[in-house]
Amino acid sequence: MRRQWVLPCGMIAVMVVLTPTVRDTRSAPWTMGWVAILLGALAVQMLLVLVDHLAPDAERPEHDDVPEA
């Protein structure tokens, strides 16, 4: 399950590392597009993490399914 996060996290990390280089190009529309894509990717990543956190575990039984002792 955790391997599915490697590619999106790697992409965001590369974009964060390259952002100073993009800002030095002095092309405002290109820089604004880059920043918009970066912020959008971060927002989508945070939503995916939230959904993964809130989704019930398939291996864990629900509280009602556990027999009482």
Side-chain angles (χ1 to χ4, degrees), residues 13-56:
V14 168
M15 285 187 76
V16 167
V17 168
L18 291 176
T19 296
T21 305
V22 172
R23 292 186 68 207
D24 290 340
T25 62
R26 303 198 192 285
S27 172
W30 206 81
T31 304
M32 291 302 291
W34 179 272
V35 170
I37 291 170
L38 177 61
L39 293 176
L42 285 170
V44 168
Q45 187 73 15
M46 287 191 300
L47 285 173
L48 288 172
V49 168
L50 179 65
V51 166
D52 188 41
H53 178 73
L54 294 177

